[in-house]
């Protein structure tokens, strides 16, 4: 928009009438007064109340998201009005409070349509790059203690971990790496404390773990983190722990970009650039399961998992061939060796591939925990 | 507190009243504004006030020294010191101790570069001021004036970079509290809020962020739209905050130069860079380009100077390869345009060259600005590589989104006269109508904007 800091040289319009400072003050007072009244009357808790304080590390954008704790447009993000003590709930509509890092954001976003269908309300509160390890960047304990009493949810869904597999500061001020025993102790303490706080008063808590990652160094740290989470959840029967780890691995229990979805078709579940984040398809798969848990707790039944007609003939599902695919590429995507893939399909490496062909995905190696979709009883319809 | 927040509005109301009550006494009024500016800065982080104070004192000493030594051999030394001081401050603050923070998460990286906010602009003002004194354009000022020149809070966080000869004389002029340019000020504040809070956030959340995070999920058209979308988002951030700064200053009776002069409808690259982030571009032109010899070194030399200036700008943006490359690529493109189309006159390209040049310029600039947004060269090549996939999904491109992009671009083609006309109409409406309009804009922004105000993109620098 053009600047207006000088009047036009030739005036074709009558001159702008200047106002006095008192006039401006009056307009300002009236204007803000009206705005305040309007906001109060419509009970909006989405007013621009305060800036994101910079010494929390700010909410300046990273390369992957500017939308920090506001969530996406589909989820009912909220910063409760500081004048209200609680955020009002609708009669008979249970409230879910979903909190965590960017992975929680993905989960919450894909959870929303399921919850809408179930008649459950969601408040999504995620912060990119956050977690329990770096409370100097963003303190989740503080945030939860602020939000949970205000929202008073029936269910809390929590997902951290992606940003937590890094050096942690112990109470005595020392920083230790993930492979140190003190790390597991300290992180476990923080997780346990958070679990205890959230489940106070019998509130239902669904704690979602982490997925595996492609880079080995990162994955090794995530393994440690996952063990801590499993241990903390194991001693707390009131916490429902949803473990995404086996849900998104290939037949050998390690990272795979393409995983067989609940409908039997192998799909890309991971985000293209980082070998860790789930893309919307993956997030939806996870959301489906979390919705089932929420359904059990709230008594509002979740949509059933789709049927998988493809778990037959020694396969756990199928992969649809895309343009440019080769056996080795498909094998890498599925997280299996080329030999195993060829063997499962009963072919040799020079077998031609055509677009839209269905390739069988090998079943999980026995003893490895991978969650395959449940085979259905009805025959496949091609 | 960031500008577009309720807390700041309260602060501004107090300053507004105080400023006009104290205006009759120039000295007291200046001290009041200076104190208010320091209070504002301290709200973020008290130790930054020390940095600001130190910079003010250094600027004062250096400008006086440069002025007194003009014509003597000592002038060179003073000049070198003058340039070195703010540059060192900038370097220390951007690349100093916090640069050694273990950058494990991207959060660390953000914290490291966000401290302290806007110090780039302060350094620029200091350097420009001293250079202007050396070139005889302005005389050194009283300490209070220099202090206010650097600390003036409407432009403290996000610019614009103010020229001493534009600002200091205003401090000595008498202002009549009965003659405020309220209408343009209110209009600018309204458009600033809408741009910075509503449009910028909308584009980021609905288009730019999803596409840049996962380019493989989107088709060529979406990627192209996202590149343009990022340019528009950045324009709305910088331009929106510039609107707010100019508007607030007008309410206090002072004029600042706006940072954006309809860049999105520029007819050529040279014209674009003359209209985008005007005051920062002016800084680089006056400090780097002119010092290298500017246009005076003739044909090839001038082109080299242009290129070097752009690379320096890239270095200012940060030490990431993508940022320096952005500078180099932009510089190379401008040099190429100069070589092919010649140096442009002040009116820019005319006629057919303008009609064809405008969309081409927009396209070229959108694609080059991708380098500012990505986290790595790999991401950039991946994103640009997606431009060949014409069959990919384009479901992000809703009619509302496309309309938003088109509107922001096309509104820039509206001549300034029309905006003056709007101001005139606005100024002649009764108080109640003005108040209702203000309330409506605030309400709209509150409903459509983000629930929590995030710092704009350019505060990373």
């Amino acid at each position: 928009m053009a600047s207006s800091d000088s009047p036009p040289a030739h005036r074709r319009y009558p001159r702008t009438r200047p106002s006095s400072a008192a006039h401006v003050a009056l307009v300002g007072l009236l204007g803000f007064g009206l705005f305040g009244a309007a906001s109060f009357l419509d009970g909006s808790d989405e007013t621009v109340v305060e800036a994101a304080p910079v010494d929390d590390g700010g909410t300046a954008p990273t390369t992957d998201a500017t939308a920090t704790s506001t969530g996406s447009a589909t989820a009912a993000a909220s910063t409760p009005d500081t004048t209200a003590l609680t955020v009002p709930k609708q009669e008979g509509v249970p409230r879910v409070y979903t909190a965590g890092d960017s992975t929680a954001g993905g989960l919450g976003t894909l959870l929303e349509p399921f919850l809408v269908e179930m008649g459950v309300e969601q408040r999504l509160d995620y912060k990119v790059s956050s977690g329990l390890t770096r409370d100097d960047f963003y303190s989740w304990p503080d945030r939860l203690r602020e939000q949970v009493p205000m929202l008073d949810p029936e269910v809390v869904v929590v997902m951290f971990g992606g940003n937590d597999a890094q050096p942690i500061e112990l109470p005595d001020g020392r920083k230790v790496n993930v492979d140190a025993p003190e790390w597991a102790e300290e992180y476990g303490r923080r997780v346990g404390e958070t679990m205890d706080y959230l489940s106070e008063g019998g509130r239902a808590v669904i704690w979602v773990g982490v997925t595996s990652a492609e880079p080995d160094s990162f994955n090794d740290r995530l393994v440690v983190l996952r063990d801590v989470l499993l241990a903390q959840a194991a001693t707390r029967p009131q916490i429902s722990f949803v473990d995404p780890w086996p849900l998104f691995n290939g037949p050998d229990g390690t990272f795979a970009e393409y995983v067989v979805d609940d409908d039997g078709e192998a799909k890309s579940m991971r985000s293209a650039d980082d070998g860790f984040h789930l893309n919307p398809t993956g997030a939806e798969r996870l959301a489906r399961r979390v919705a089932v848990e929420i359904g059990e707790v709230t008594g509002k039944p979740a949509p059933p998992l789709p049927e998988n007609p493809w778990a037959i003939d020694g396969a756990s599902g199928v992969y649809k061939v895309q343009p440019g695919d080769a056996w080795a590429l498909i094998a890498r995507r599925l997280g299996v060796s080329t030999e195993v893939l060829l063997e499962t399909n009963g072919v040799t490496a020079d077998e031609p591939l055509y677009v839209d062909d269905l390739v069988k995905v090998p079943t999980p190696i026995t003893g490895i925990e991978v969650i395959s979709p449940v085979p259905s009883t009805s025959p496949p319809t091609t | 507190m960031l500008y577009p927040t309720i807390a700041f509005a309260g602060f501004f109301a107090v300053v507004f009243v105080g400023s006009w009550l104290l205006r009759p006494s120039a000295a007291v009024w200046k001290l009041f504004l200076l104190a208010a500016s320091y209070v504002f800065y301290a709200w973020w982080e008290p130790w930054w006030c020390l940095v600001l104070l130190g910079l003010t004192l250094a600027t004062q000493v250096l400008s006086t020294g440069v002025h007194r030594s003009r014509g003597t051999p000592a002038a060179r030394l003073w000049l070198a010191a003058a340039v070195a001081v703010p540059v060192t401050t900038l370097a220390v603050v951007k690349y100093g101790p916090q640069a050694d923070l273990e950058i494990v998460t991207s959060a660390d990286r953000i914290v490291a570069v966000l401290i302290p906010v806007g110090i780039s602009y302060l350094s620029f003002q200091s350097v420009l001021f001293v250079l202007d004194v050396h070139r005889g354009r302005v005389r050194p000022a009283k300490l209070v004036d220099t202090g206010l020149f650097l600390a003036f809070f409407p432009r403290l966080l996000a610019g614009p970079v103010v020229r001493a000869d534009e600002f200091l004389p205003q401090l000595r002029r008498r202002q009549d509290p009965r003659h405020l340019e309220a209408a343009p000020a209110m209009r600018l504040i309204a458009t600033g809020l809408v741009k910075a809070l509503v449009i910028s956030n909308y584009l980021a959340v609905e288009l730019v962020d999803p596409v840049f995070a996962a380019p493989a999920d989107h088709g060529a058209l979406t990627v192209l739209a996202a590149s343009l979308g990022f340019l528009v988002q950045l324009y709305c951030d910088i331009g929106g905050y510039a609107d707010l700064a100019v508007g607030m200053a007008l309410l206090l009776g002072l004029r600042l130069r706006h940072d954006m002069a309809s860049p999105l409808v520029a007819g050529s690259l040279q014209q674009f860079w003359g209209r985008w982030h005007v005051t920062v571009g002016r800084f680089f032109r006056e400090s780097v380009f002119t010092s290298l010899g500017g246009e005076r070194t003739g044909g090839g030399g001038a082109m080299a100077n242009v290129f070097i200036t752009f690379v320096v700008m890239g270095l200012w943006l940060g030490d990431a390869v993508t940022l320096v490359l952005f500078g180099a690529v932009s510089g190379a493109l401008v040099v190429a345009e100069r070589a092919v189309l010649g140096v442009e006159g002040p009116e820019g390209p005319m006629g057919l060259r303008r009609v064809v040049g405008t969309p081409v310029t927009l396209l070229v600039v959108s694609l080059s600005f991708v380098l500012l947004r990505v986290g790595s060269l790999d991401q950039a090549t991946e994103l640009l590589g997606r431009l060949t996939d014409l069959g990919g999904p384009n479901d992000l491109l809703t009619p509302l989104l496309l309309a938003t992009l088109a509107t922001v671009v096309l509104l820039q083609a509206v001549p300034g006269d029309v905006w003056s006309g709007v101001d005139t109409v606005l100024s002649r409406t009764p108080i109640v109508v003005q108040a209702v309009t203000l309330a409506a804009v605030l309400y709209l922004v509150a409903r459509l904007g983000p629930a929590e105000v995030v710092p704009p993109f350019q505060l990373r620098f």
Side-chain angles (χ1 to χ4, degrees):
Chain A
M1 293 164 195
S3 66
S4 72
D5 54 10
S6 54
H10 52 284
R11 275 187 265 285
R12 284 175 299 177
Y13 301 90
R15 229 205 133 135
T16 310
R17 186 166 69 191
S19 324
S20 71
H23 176 122
V24 172
L26 199 58
V27 171
L29 206 66
L30 274 174
F32 271 87
L34 283 169
F35 164 62
S39 301
F40 179 74
L41 282 173
D42 93 290
S44 156
D45 42 88
E46 284 169 46
T47 50
V48 178
V49 173
E50 57 191 81
V54 174
D55 43 19
D56 276 3
T59 48
T62 60
T63 53
D64 54 13
T66 317
T68 54
S69 46
T70 58
S72 74
T74 54
S78 75
T79 304
D81 187 2
T82 51
T83 60
L85 289 170
T86 58
V87 176
K89 283 191 249 189
Q90 287 168 272
E91 191 74 39
V93 176
R95 173 176 287 162
V96 170
Y97 171 58
T98 304
D101 58 14
S102 51
T103 56
L107 170 64
T109 309
L110 272 304
L111 196 52
E112 182 72 13
F114 292 122
L115 295 180
V116 165
E117 204 185 308
M118 288 157 67
V120 174
E121 185 206 345
Q122 180 182 218
R123 295 278 171 162
L124 177 58
D125 182 14
Y126 74 94
K127 173 105 177 177
V128 171
S129 303
S130 70
L132 293 175
T133 301
R134 294 296 299 271
D135 51 9
D136 55 310
F137 167 63
Y138 188 84
S139 170
W140 271 107
D142 289 342
R143 177 72 170 179
L144 293 173
R145 279 158 182 76
E146 177 198 291
Q147 296 289 307
V148 170
M150 257 195 259
L151 293 171
D152 190 29
E154 277 75 18
V155 186
V156 176
V157 174
V158 158
M159 188 169 183
F160 296 115
N163 302 300
D164 280 344
Q166 53 168 304
I168 203 169
E169 188 176 323
L170 301 177
D172 61 14
R174 281 182 301 149
K175 269 199 160 188
V176 293
N177 287 332
V178 181
D179 50 11
E182 295 94 331
W183 192 97
E185 198 185 309
E186 175 61 17
Y187 189 70
R189 186 185 66 78
R190 297 186 189 190
V191 168
E193 238 173 47
T194 311
M195 284 180 170
D196 290 335
Y197 170 71
L198 290 173
S199 58
E200 247 168 39
R203 193 190 320 270
V205 177
I206 299 173
W207 194 286
V208 183
V210 287
T211 53
S212 61
E214 196 176 5
D216 282 333
S217 56
F218 187 25
N219 196 62
D220 290 342
R221 299 201 302 272
L222 288 172
V223 168
V224 172
L225 192 144
R226 177 173 175 250
D227 285 342
V228 171
L229 293 179
L230 287 168
Q232 291 297 319
T235 61
R236 292 172 174 81
Q238 73 275 24
I239 305 280
S240 301
F241 186 73
V242 172
D243 189 8
W245 195 270
L247 213 57
F248 296 100
N249 286 340
D252 60 356
T254 62
F255 177 91
E257 193 199 329
Y258 277 70
V259 168
V260 176
D261 201 353
D262 297 308
D263 62 1
E265 197 185 316
K267 298 174 194 151
S268 165
M269 299 271 181
R270 304 288 190 139
S271 184
D273 54 356
D274 65 6
F276 173 69
H277 278 89
L278 294 174
N279 62 17
T281 311
E284 192 181 350
R285 182 165 198 230
L286 182 61
R288 222 174 272 131
R289 279 166 175 68
V290 174
V292 167
E293 291 285 330
I294 293 174
E296 277 167 27
V297 168
T298 57
K300 303 262 184 182
L305 296 181
E307 300 201 320
N308 170 21
W310 295 111
I312 47 172
D313 298 344
S316 62
V318 290
Y319 168 91
K320 192 182 270 194
V321 176
Q322 299 166 30
D325 275 354
W327 286 104
L329 176 63
I330 298 175
R332 196 178 74 218
R333 284 197 176 139
L334 292 171
V336 292
S337 68
T338 320
E339 295 80 51
V340 169
L341 182 66
L342 294 171
E343 194 189 300
T344 306
N345 285 275
V347 296
T348 54
D350 38 19
E351 180 83 11
L353 283 165
Y354 299 103
V355 175
D356 286 353
D357 269 359
L358 298 176
V359 166
K360 290 191 208 168
V361 178
T363 50
I365 300 172
T366 43
I368 300 284
E369 194 198 355
V370 174
I371 294 181
S372 299
V374 176
S376 82
T377 47
S378 46
T381 49
T382 314
Chain B
M1 7 155 207
L2 285 175
Y3 299 124
T5 60
I6 301 285
F8 180 78
F11 168 79
F12 187 77
V14 171
V15 175
F16 176 75
V17 171
S19 167
W20 286 108
L21 284 177
L22 295 171
R23 213 31 155 115
S25 163
V28 180
W29 167 71
K30 280 188 282 191
L31 275 169
F32 174 74
L33 271 188
L34 188 62
S37 302
Y38 271 82
V39 165
F40 173 74
Y41 214 33
W43 206 284
W44 286 82
E45 178 66 64
W47 85 267
W48 293 349
C49 287
L50 290 174
V51 175
L52 182 57
L53 191 63
L55 196 62
T56 306
L57 292 170
T59 309
Q60 186 70 355
V61 166
L62 289 166
S63 60
T64 320
V66 164
H67 180 74
R68 294 218 186 105
S69 68
R70 276 178 72 206
T72 72
R76 298 217 143 248
L77 287 170
W78 277 107
L79 214 55
V83 171
V85 165
V87 168
T88 317
T89 322
L90 181 63
V92 160
V93 142
K94 275 192 89 159
Y95 301 110
Q98 45 299 350
D100 294 339
L101 255 188
E102 192 186 334
I103 309 286
V104 178
T105 60
S106 45
D108 292 318
R109 188 159 208 274
I110 292 163
V111 169
V113 301
L114 206 65
I115 298 169
V117 164
I119 250 229
S120 301
Y121 301 108
L122 290 176
S123 306
F124 292 170
Q125 279 196 203
S126 175
V127 172
L128 265 184
F129 181 36
V130 176
L131 275 175
D132 280 344
V133 169
H134 172 71
R135 289 171 186 159
R137 277 215 208 102
V138 80
R139 303 176 72 86
K142 289 186 271 209
L143 186 60
V144 179
D145 288 18
T146 309
L148 195 53
F149 165 68
L150 286 176
F152 188 50
F153 70 90
R155 52 137 303 282
L156 194 51
L157 289 185
V161 176
V162 181
R163 275 277 285 284
D165 59 356
E166 289 169 353
F167 188 78
L168 291 173
Q170 295 187 57
L171 295 179
R172 298 174 208 129
R173 249 179 279 156
R174 293 213 152 271
Q175 284 285 331
D176 188 346
R178 290 168 303 174
H179 287 97
L180 259 66
E181 298 204 37
M186 301 299 240
R187 170 177 60 83
L188 284 168
I189 290 175
T191 55
L193 287 175
V194 170
K195 278 187 216 168
L197 288 186
V198 180
I199 303 181
S200 165
N201 184 65
Y202 172 67
L203 289 175
V205 171
E206 297 294 327
L207 179 65
V208 179
D209 291 343
V211 174
F212 275 80
D217 294 345
H218 304 282
L221 216 58
T222 309
V223 171
L224 194 62
S227 312
L228 175 64
F230 173 64
L231 182 68
V232 174
Q233 176 198 344
L234 200 54
Y235 163 78
C236 285
D237 272 338
I238 299 176
Y241 273 77
D243 282 351
L244 290 174
V246 175
M248 283 192 282
L250 273 179
L251 285 179
L252 293 173
L254 294 165
R255 284 179 183 282
L256 299 178
R257 182 176 289 268
H258 201 280
D259 242 346
M260 290 286 183
S262 307
L264 300 182
V265 291
S268 69
L269 291 173
Q270 292 173 68
Q271 200 180 37
F272 174 81
W273 285 105
R275 293 175 165 206
W276 175 273
H277 219 160
V278 169
T279 61
V280 169
R282 192 171 56 166
F283 165 77
F284 281 108
R285 191 160 40 247
E286 307 230 347
S287 62
V288 182
F289 185 62
T290 310
S291 306
L292 289 171
E295 299 288 352
R296 293 197 306 255
T297 45
M303 301 234 238
N305 293 340
V306 168
F307 182 71
I308 295 171
T309 308
F310 271 93
V311 172
V312 171
M313 179 190 74
L315 285 166
W316 162 67
L317 288 172
D319 53 352
V321 173
T322 50
L323 299 171
V324 181
L325 194 63
F326 170 72
V329 165
S330 304
L333 286 169
V334 171
V335 166
E337 191 191 73
R338 277 172 69 122
V340 170
L341 298 172
V343 180
E344 236 160 48
E347 339 77 44
M350 309 293 275
L352 189 66
R353 262 172 56 172
R354 189 190 190 97
V355 172
V356 173
T358 306
V360 170
T361 305
L362 195 59
L363 179 69
V364 170
V365 168
S366 301
L367 292 176
S368 67
F369 267 64
V370 162
L371 286 168
L372 270 187
R373 178 63 174 77
V374 294
S376 66
L377 271 182
D378 289 337
Q379 232 191 326
T381 39
E382 191 198 343
L383 194 92
L384 293 171
R386 294 297 301 157
L387 289 171
T388 53
D389 180 4
L390 293 167
N394 290 312
D395 38 292
L396 284 183
L397 299 183
T398 61
L400 179 63
L401 188 77
L402 294 170
T404 308
L405 284 174
T407 308
V408 176
V409 173
L410 290 173
L411 271 177
Q412 306 214 342
V414 171
D417 285 353
V418 176
W419 296 111
S420 302
V422 170
D423 293 340
T424 306
V425 168
L426 204 60
S427 70
R428 287 169 186 277
T429 57
I431 289 186
V432 177
V433 174
Q434 291 179 353
V436 169
T437 314
L438 176 64
V441 170
L442 290 173
Y443 186 74
L444 191 86
V445 168
R447 293 297 284 170
L448 296 179
E452 216 177 311
V453 180
V454 303
F457 195 85
Q458 77 270 23
L459 287 191
R460 288 176 67 187
F461 309 112

